[in-house]
Amino acid sequence: MSFETRISIENLNLFYGEFHALKNVCLQVPKNNVTALIGPSGCGKSTLLRCINRMNDLIDGVRMEGRIVIDEQNILTPGTDVVALRKNVGMVFQRPNVFDQSILNNLKFGLRIHRQMRSKNETKDLIQKCLEDVGLWDVLKDQLRKNARELSLEQQQRLCIARVLLLKPEIILLDEPCSALDPIATLHIEELLRVLRERYTMVIVTHNMQQAARASDYTGFMYMGQLVEFGVTREIFTAPRQELTENYITGHFG
Amino acid sequence: MRNKFGERVIETAIRFSGFAIIAFVILIFLFLLKDSLSLFRVYSFKRFILEQKWLPISEPPTFGIVPLITGSLLVTVGAIVICVPVGVATALYIAEIAPGYLKTILKSLIEVLASIPSVVLGFIGIIWLGPFVKNTFHLSTGMCGLTSVFLLAFMALPTIISISEDALVGVPRMYKEAAYGLGATHWQTLWRIVLPAASSGIMAAVMLGIGRVIGETMVVMMVTGNAPIMPKSILQPLRTLTATIAGEMGETVSGSDHYYALFAVGLILFIITFVLNFTAEVFLRKGRR
């Protein structure tokens, strides 16, 4: 296992009030790869993901210890510019959460809040580029003023990804991005992730083991708030070193 | 068998209550319409709606509703201009910014506010707010449009706040998460995402607030000065539709033209509030979609 580290998680502990949700997690996330986090419900995989862009800040009573280093900066320090962090570390959620507004406004929202609205033509080119990246441009180019909630769930999720790409992030976090989608749409999104891997570091949380096996390069298995095992996806799925991992992967529990 | 019978009794009773409400609304409308028509047989509807003077006891009398509608409109618009921004801002504060304990306190205070009898507010208007307005604007009397505007705004606030707050709280969490996830600040999320998403509920709140203001009688009777003339500004005494009915009904001869004219005023008022409530309902439905 040799790779360039993009995110370095060091001795991370997280508490929800009294509850110890993440226990001493250490993880090096490889650059320009897809890293999957798997594990049974409640094992802390989503919580871990939400540490990387500080989304856990929105929950009352969360306390974190340890370090998460991105670009030589510990992003858990109080002085971290969360706005800039979230721009650089985009997130795609479980349910496609497009705003109840036009497709265009959904895309422009990010540019507006970060004061990056350019001239009309430049913005249009940017938007076209991102919609092309997620395979929506040909379908939607003539109906950008349509309400985004009228799209199919798969298209909505693609739009969510486009909305993130528009801000030119380097890291993308995906929190069970296919759990609301049917199997065909799921495959389409996975294909998209494979293409995007060239340019972005991605971390995907999934409860679907086949998805982790198909779509990721590296896999981390979590259980009860601990990272049990981390390695190349093929090895985790064919020759896990821990018995717990093997039991989970073979379906003994989960 | 017995159970089934019991159920049918209850079902019928509930259905009856439902239909009774509809029947009451229709009956009230017909009742107003019938007595209004008694006026329009001797006094043309066109004159009633266009004449700019309300002189019910002159000889011959003039029943022009324009000054009364203008009076109602003036105080309503004035009250809305004040209470909508304040109300929506308060709702936003309670729904999205205030810490938990303050939220509870504020919400129960607003309920208390809603339960203040309007005659008490009118009282405050007469002894305190009226003189204050008089001295501030150097008027000959403080009993004028502006005084009632303040009181009416105050009365509409609880309605606007609590319904707007419901709409704001109802905005799905996932919209907010999406906005924060893209790096939006708290304020950007509120302004660009939460408020637009709640807009139809807020519109409904405003409509119901207007309905409350335009139908209010006691306060306007006590503090507007009750002069049935065309108001040139909000600083002049004026009279509203409601105050006209309440003030004059006791002095008319039952069955006289004046008596029927007051019913016609009531009909106009009924139509205005009906349209407002209906519009509010449309907005609320749109929001639920």
Side-chain angles (χ1 to χ4, degrees), chain B residues 157-177:
Chain B
L157 270 180
T159 312
I160 293 188
I161 293 172
S162 58
I163 296 176
S164 302
E165 199 242 348
D166 279 349
L168 289 167
V169 170
V171 173
R173 208 189 133 74
M174 62 178 203
Y175 290 165
K176 284 181 239 171
E177 275 197 332

Side-chain angles (χ1 to χ4, degrees), chain B residues 90 93-94 98 101-111:
Chain B
T90 311
Y93 179 72
I94 295 175
Y101 70 96
L102 203 58
K103 219 176 264 202
T104 324
I105 297 175
L106 279 171
K107 282 176 89 164
S108 34
L109 271 180
I110 283 157
E111 269 163 44

